[in-house]
């Protein structure tokens, strides 16, 4: 079992190149199933979840080719199965994103129910509601969603709550449905826009992506295309917080500042000086201690839930008290127990964590519980006295490409150990 060892106390300096967004590339790879021809995807991050998705597409029969630069070629012309097996879906919930494409392109799909995960039960009722609205017959038994439809018909779908995955699944299905589909209360995350950009390149007729109302005019077929994945705003935010916590100065290159407004505002509130160009963000903390910040997670363009754990690490050593409210997932404070082991002062009351900044954290062995929790433990280790050893870092490899290589290039004392 691999672990990561962090030696605290070194401010970060230098440039870090941001990779393609995990939460954009996963639905985009699944969108390859919709086409009659080859989809080429570039700027793909080398992540475990990407490899899992490619395995799933391969299981369905699609031809998968990966070149030395990790550009992906998906050839859907050999797809022969419409079943997403449990052993793959249980390791990655995003596997459910093959449901819409298989249903729309082949009229049939069987996808194992994903089950919960560490941060919450994460039901998929909104995905099912959307497919039924488009005319699919759906049954759920023996742990499988079984869906079929001669041809999906456009409809108005009003989501009960904002769901990134459900918006993506129904958006993909609607591209080949007959007639017009309107998605109301749709997610507005930048990853939805990136998926829509790719689908339009394939011939889809989509308007309103990035707003709460997306309108899709169904087309007969989608052709192949080439798409470069949008930079990962959560990876970007994670490195910016690392620089803010260590009092350093870094530049995130190949980034997209306009996808991070809420995060940049909060970092400025914490005392960081931030300058942006079209594709880079420079954060300068000038050796200062961050001020504590209050935040409440919300769907985009609000403060992203995927940055909550990282900001909690910053509040642990900030000047003052930060009140943090998690409104998206019911159990996304798993990192609190581990941060307490490092000497943090955090009190949790329901969906609210009250974090009183301490002068110093002290390094200790800790355990990662989910993807972003593992990132927050690394950030805490960067400022803790002595050594912090993080276990169960397979969580980390799902969402961060070579994070320890990127951090050590910025001056962090960090390495992977067996
Ligand atoms: C996506 O998950 C992201 N994952 C998550 O990132 C991210 O935290 C989340 O969106 C919110 O931004 C990918 O894109 C692969 P949701 P998703 O559907 O689509 C409830 C990371 O760290 N809900 O927007 O699964 C759900 O339980 C990961 O990169 C239903 O009740 O999230 C949650 O409380 C973690 N029924 C809320 O909605 C449904 O049918 C938002 O979930 C669907 C969702």
């Amino acid at each position: 079992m691999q672990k990561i060892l962090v030696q605290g106390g070194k401010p970060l300096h230098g440039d870090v190149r941001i990779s393609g967004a995990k939460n954009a590339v996963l639905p985009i790879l699944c969108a390859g199933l919709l086409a009659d021809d080859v989809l080429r995807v570039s700027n793909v991050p080398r992540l475990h979840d990407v490899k899992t998705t490619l395995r799933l597409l391969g299981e369905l029969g699609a031809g998968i080719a990966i070149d030395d630069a990790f550009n992906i070629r998906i050839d859907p012309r050999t797809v022969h199965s419409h079943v997403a097996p449990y052993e793959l879906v249980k390791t990655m919930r995003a596997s459910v994103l093959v449901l819409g494409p298989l249903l729309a392109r082949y009229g049939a799909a069987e996808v194992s129910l994903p089950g919960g995960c560490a941060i919450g039960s994460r039901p998929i009722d909104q995905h099912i509601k959307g497919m039924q609205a488009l005319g699919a017959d759906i049954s759920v038994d023996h742990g499988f969603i079984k869906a079929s439809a001669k041809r999906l018909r456009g409809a108005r779908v009003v989501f009960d709550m904002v769901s990134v995955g459900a918006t993506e699944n129904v958006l993909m299905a609607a591209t080949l449905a007959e007639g017009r589909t309107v998605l109301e209360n749709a997610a507005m995350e930048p990853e939805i826009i990136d998926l829509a950009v790719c689908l339009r390149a394939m011939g889809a007729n989509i308007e309103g992506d990035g707003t709460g109302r997306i309108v899709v005019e169904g087309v007969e077929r989608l052709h192949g295309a080439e798409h470069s994945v949008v930079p990962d705003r959560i990876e970007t935010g994670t490195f910016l917080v690392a620089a803010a916590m260590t009092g350093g100065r870094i530049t995130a290159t190949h980034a997209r500042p306009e996808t991070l407004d809420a995060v940049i505002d909060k970092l400025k509130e914490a005392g960081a000086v931030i300058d942006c160009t079209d594709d880079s963000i420079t954060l300068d903390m000038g050796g200062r201690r961050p001020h504590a910040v209050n935040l409440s997670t919300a769907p985009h363009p609000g403060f992203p839930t995927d940055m909550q754990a990282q900001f909690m690490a910053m509040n642990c050593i900030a000047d003052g008290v930060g009140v943090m409210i998690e409104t998206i997932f019911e159990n996304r404070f798993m990192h609190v127990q581990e941060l307490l082991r490092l000497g943090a002062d955090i009190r949790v009351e329901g969906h609210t964590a009250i974090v009183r900044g301490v002068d110093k954290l002290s390094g200790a062995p800790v355990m990662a519980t989910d993807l972003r929790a593992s990132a927050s433990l690394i950030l805490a280790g960067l400022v803790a006295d002595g050594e912090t050893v993080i276990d169960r870092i397979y969580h980390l490899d799902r969402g961060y490409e070579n994070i320890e290589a990127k951090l050590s290039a910025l001056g962090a004392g960090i390495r992977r150990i067996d």
Side-chain angles (χ1 to χ4, degrees):
M1 179 81 79
Q2 290 193 327
K3 299 180 181 183
I4 280 190
L5 186 150
V6 186
Q7 186 69 36
K10 302 189 179 106
L12 302 189
H13 287 95
D15 290 2
V16 58
R17 180 184 175 124
I18 299 302
S19 303
K22 166 178 87 82
N23 292 349
V25 71
L26 299 184
I28 285 166
L29 293 174
C30 296
L33 295 169
L34 287 163
D36 291 348
D37 204 337
V38 171
L39 175 66
R40 287 180 174 75
V41 189
S42 57
N43 199 33
V44 178
R46 290 170 173 75
L47 301 174
H48 191 267
D49 276 7
V50 168
K51 292 165 188 149
T52 303
T53 304
L54 294 174
R55 265 182 51 213
L56 172 57
L57 297 178
E59 290 262 324
L60 298 172
I64 304 294
I66 306 172
D67 72 12
D68 299 345
F70 209 66
N71 297 312
I72 308 288
R73 180 183 184 279
I74 300 168
D75 184 347
R77 291 172 293 191
T78 49
V79 167
H80 51 67
S81 161
H82 310 138
V83 180
Y86 176 61
E87 55 276 0
L88 273 175
V89 176
K90 75 180 175 189
T91 66
M92 187 189 65
R93 311 178 29 73
S95 309
V96 73
L97 293 174
V98 299
L99 175 64
L102 287 173
L103 198 49
R105 178 73 183 72
Y106 300 99
E110 278 191 42
V111 179
S112 164
L113 279 168
C117 78
I119 63 178
S121 60
R122 302 185 72 183
I124 56 167
D125 55 299
Q126 299 300 304
H127 299 241
I128 292 171
K129 170 179 178 172
M131 299 309 159
Q132 286 172 327
L134 296 179
D137 291 323
I138 295 206
S139 64
V140 180
D141 49 43
H142 303 299
F144 266 88
I145 303 162
K146 293 195 173 96
S148 63
K150 282 192 187 52
R151 183 170 182 203
L152 295 176
R153 288 184 316 282
R156 184 163 175 271
V157 181
V158 185
F159 292 112
D160 299 344
M161 89 286 292
V162 172
S163 162
V164 170
T167 300
E168 290 165 345
N169 231 338
V170 179
L171 171 62
M172 288 189 283
T175 58
L176 291 179
E178 194 168 355
R180 166 174 292 197
T181 295
V182 179
L183 279 64
E184 303 275 11
N185 202 19
M188 301 192 264
E189 270 68 5
E191 293 76 32
I192 307 278
I193 298 174
D194 204 42
L195 172 61
V197 166
C198 179
L199 290 167
R200 275 192 288 267
M202 295 163 68
N205 183 331
I206 301 169
E207 290 182 1
D209 43 295
T211 75
R213 186 174 189 273
I214 302 176
V215 180
V216 184
E217 297 295 346
V219 295
E220 287 302 313
R221 58 181 290 279
L222 293 181
H223 48 72
E226 297 200 7
H227 181 77
S228 177
V229 177
V230 67
D232 194 316
R233 62 194 167 99
I234 305 303
E235 183 194 24
T236 307
T238 303
F239 282 108
L240 294 176
V241 170
M245 290 176 69
T246 57
R249 181 186 192 282
I250 71 159
T251 297
T253 64
H254 300 82
R256 289 280 287 280
E258 74 279 8
T259 62
L260 277 152
D261 288 343
V263 170
I264 289 173
D265 289 350
K266 277 296 162 192
L267 285 166
K268 288 179 177 173
E269 215 181 292
V273 174
I274 294 183
D275 292 301
C276 298
T277 67
D278 285 351
D279 65 354
S280 75
I281 305 173
T282 298
L283 180 144
D284 189 349
M285 203 60 182
R288 296 183 300 280
R289 180 184 185 186
H291 305 306
V293 293
N294 300 324
L295 62 88
S296 179
T297 62
H300 196 78
F303 186 90
T305 175
D306 292 348
M307 283 299 303
Q308 177 256 110
Q310 298 91 316
F311 269 74
M312 187 178 290
M314 186 171 76
N315 270 341
C316 284
I317 48 91
D319 175 18
V321 178
V323 179
M324 309 181 76
I325 305 170
E326 173 55 61
T327 71
I328 306 293
F329 290 108
E330 66 264 33
N331 187 33
R332 203 169 196 176
F333 284 148
M334 307 275 277
H335 38 287
V336 168
Q337 288 310 320
E338 301 305 307
L339 290 169
L340 291 173
R341 285 180 45 73
L342 299 176
D345 177 349
I346 308 169
R347 205 169 80 242
V348 173
E349 290 180 8
H351 287 256
T352 301
I354 298 154
V355 186
R356 181 179 301 278
V358 296
D359 292 340
K360 217 45 176 152
L361 294 175
S362 58
V366 288
M367 189 175 72
T369 51
D370 58 86
L371 170 55
R372 306 305 172 183
S374 36
S376 82
L377 295 176
I378 287 184
L379 298 182
L382 292 176
V383 299
D385 244 357
E387 275 188 359
T388 299
V389 181
I390 297 126
D391 198 354
R392 301 195 179 181
I393 55 165
Y394 54 84
H395 291 292
L396 196 67
D397 295 333
R398 298 190 50 177
Y400 289 96
E401 181 178 8
N402 296 330
I403 193 167
E404 75 271 14
K406 292 187 175 184
L407 282 169
S408 53
L410 293 171
I414 182 169
R415 61 192 170 86
R416 192 173 286 242
I417 52 178
D418 270 318

